[in-house]
Amino acid sequence: MLLHKTNITILRATSPQSQPNFTILRRNFCLWSMKKDPDLESALSRNRRWVVNNQIKNIILRYPNNEIPIETLQKKFKTLDLQGKALNWISKYPSCFELHQNRIRLTKRMMNLVHQEQTIKDSLDPVFAQRLAKLLMLSFNNTLNVIKINEIKNSLGFPDDYLIRIVPRYPDLFRIVNESGRRSSMAIELIHWNPNFAVSEVEASALRKGLEPNFSCCLPSSWVKSLEKFHEFESVPYVSPYSDPRVLVEGSKEMEKRNVGLVHELLSLTLWKKVSIMKFGHFKREFFLP
């Protein structure tokens, strides 16, 4: 990695009377350059090819009998950001695709992988259903807008088709509501409260350890005031984020405990234990946050 560093210079021209009349600003920039790693570039190139093949696979599976005319696939090459002939691309991967009567279909080996993939997806449906139910239980009216859920669905690990695959599969848990009929107002409502789901990660961890629910803190011993404030915070009994926040006094220590617990629980539901602050802010009203 190379850093090219220069300076910014201001030149002020003056008149014979020593009065400034114009200013020249000469700017130079710091430029970063990095040599490309051949092995990394090769790996990225190979990954790109398999990403495209996965997209082609999904296109083929959407067509009747899982076959697509070669002319139709050629037209879709533009959406895949590909050039050249579709037949040439397909012929490079005989283990994935095969030509049958001018139609492209998946090979038997590839279809077996598709079935295995679907089996794994089906086995994860109960996990996604529980995660979605817990998310709805965190909201004070047990209802969340679909557009807002879509903003964090990747963080939660939800599949792209969760709305048509997960929700209809659990009619005893969820239902779609849309009072205005507009797409933007479509929401998912929880219709059955499962007490087994209403256990936060903090409570579950404390139960496993045989302790009272609490938060841990890792601060240097020299941070005296911060440690005192944390101990004061921990002196307040734990408030479950699944409890009704409307029974708490706004601005109270109990409400603060509940708010911290809710943020902690929401992050615990995500795959990487983090979520965009901007996207999280869109749920302020639903989660009854200050």
Side-chain angles (χ1 to χ4, degrees), residues 205-227:
S205 176
L207 186 63
R208 290 192 297 267
K209 298 176 182 178
L211 303 173
E212 291 294 323
N214 57 17
F215 295 100
S216 60
C217 176
C218 297
L219 290 174
S221 58
S222 58
W223 292 25
V224 178
K225 292 184 178 180
S226 297
L227 287 171

Side-chain angles (χ1 to χ4, degrees), residues 50-284:
W50 290 114
V51 168
V52 172
N53 285 341
N54 187 63
Q55 293 173 323
I56 295 175
K57 177 207 71 175
N58 293 332
I59 293 174
I60 293 174
L61 292 176
R62 289 196 292 265
Y63 276 76
N65 300 323
N66 296 332
E67 294 182 344
I68 183 174
I70 187 66
E71 297 83 3
T72 305
L73 183 60
Q74 182 67 58
K75 294 177 181 178
K76 292 185 176 294
F77 253 39
K78 292 182 179 180
T79 62
L80 299 176
D81 196 23
L82 293 175
Q83 298 177 352
K85 293 185 178 181
L87 186 59
N88 291 339
W89 180 278
I90 295 299
S91 62
K92 294 179 181 178
Y93 305 96
S95 61
C96 300
F97 313 106
E98 61 184 12
L99 182 63
H100 176 70
Q101 296 180 354
N102 206 34
R103 304 175 72 88
I104 302 297
R105 65 184 183 185
L106 301 179
T107 62
K108 291 183 178 180
R109 181 181 179 185
M110 193 66 181
M111 285 302 300
N112 288 334
L113 292 176
V114 170
H115 294 322
Q116 293 179 28
E117 181 184 25
Q118 189 59 46
T119 300
I120 295 174
K121 287 183 176 180
D122 292 341
S123 67
L124 292 175
D125 282 353
V127 176
F128 295 138
Q130 178 179 344
R131 193 170 296 172
L132 178 59
K134 290 172 74 72
L135 185 68
L136 295 174
M137 292 166 71
L138 288 174
S139 64
F140 75 92
N141 60 353
N142 303 142
T143 304
L144 287 176
N145 183 276
V146 171
I147 293 179
K148 291 189 177 183
I149 296 177
N150 288 343
E151 292 182 358
I152 60 173
K153 70 176 182 180
N154 291 334
S155 297
L156 295 168
F158 290 170
D160 292 336
D161 59 348
Y162 78 96
L163 192 61
I164 60 176
R165 195 180 91 209
I166 306 298
V167 175
R169 187 169 292 185
Y170 295 89
D172 57 327
L173 271 179
F174 316 110
R175 71 176 175 183
I176 301 294
V177 293
N178 193 344
E179 297 178 356
S180 67
R182 297 193 303 269
R183 183 178 180 182
S184 59
S185 62
M186 183 184 300
I188 303 177
E189 180 183 8
L190 183 79
I191 58 178
H192 173 68
W193 183 278
N194 189 333
N196 295 326
F197 293 168
V199 180
S200 68
E201 182 64 26
V202 173
E203 292 173 309
S205 176
L207 186 63
R208 290 192 297 267
K209 298 176 182 178
L211 303 173
E212 291 294 323
N214 57 17
F215 295 100
S216 60
C217 176
C218 297
L219 290 174
S221 58
S222 58
W223 292 25
V224 178
K225 292 184 178 180
S226 297
L227 287 171
E228 289 179 354
K229 188 174 181 179
F230 176 76
H231 292 319
E232 180 183 353
F233 170 77
E234 274 299 275
S235 65
V236 180
Y238 180 80
V239 179
S240 172
Y242 295 101
S243 59
D244 189 351
R246 290 168 290 190
V247 303
L248 301 175
V249 178
E250 187 173 354
S252 64
K253 295 183 181 298
E254 288 77 14
M255 179 61 85
E256 181 185 13
K257 194 85 171 186
R258 175 261 173 191
N259 291 339
V260 173
L262 187 144
V263 175
H264 185 279
E265 181 66 5
L266 179 63
L267 295 178
S268 298
L269 293 176
T270 63
L271 296 178
W272 303 285
K273 312 309 176 189
K274 64 180 181 179
V275 67
S276 166
I277 294 177
M278 181 181 299
K279 293 179 180 179
F280 183 70
H282 294 168
F283 294 88
K284 181 177 65 174

